Amino acid sequence: MPAKDAAQQVHDWMVLFPTVTASPAALSTAMSLVIEHSFSFWDALLIATVKEAGVSHLLTENMQDGQSVLGVWPINPLKNGYGR
């Protein structure tokens, strides 16, 4: 793919899928999840960051399906019967 076309594709994806960064508050929340609930740091940081961004459901195969964490519901899209 020519670089100019690739740049346009990247731009289109950025518009369709906005990104957010972890804030200092999310880092603090993540560390609390690690200490109090034995989450892995990266899972905890993801949950804390998406919570701040207003996300209520997170598609992931790495966290326990169907148990709310800080009001965020991890959902495993690979689980049998998902979406049926």
Side-chain angles (χ1 to χ4, degrees):
M1 173 183 291
K4 194 170 191 174
D5 293 344
Q8 182 60 49
Q9 184 67 45
V10 168
H11 176 268
D12 291 347
W13 280 79
M14 288 170 48
V15 170
L16 286 170
F17 303 104
T19 58
V20 296
T21 58
S23 70
L27 287 167
S28 179
T29 299
M31 290 310 302
S32 293
L33 288 172
V34 169
I35 293 166
E36 296 170 16
H37 302 286
S38 300
F39 272 77
S40 75
F41 172 74
W42 295 112
D43 287 349
L45 185 58
L46 180 59
I47 288 288
T49 302
V50 300
K51 171 68 176 174
E52 281 187 358
V55 172
S56 61
H57 292 78
L58 176 66
L59 297 178
T60 176
E61 60 183 279
N62 295 327
M63 293 181 219
Q64 185 173 352
D65 185 73
Q67 181 177 348
S68 175
V69 181
L70 301 178
V72 176
W73 291 89
I75 298 171
N76 185 345
L78 303 178
K79 186 176 178 180
N80 289 337
Y82 175 76
R84 291 185 187 177

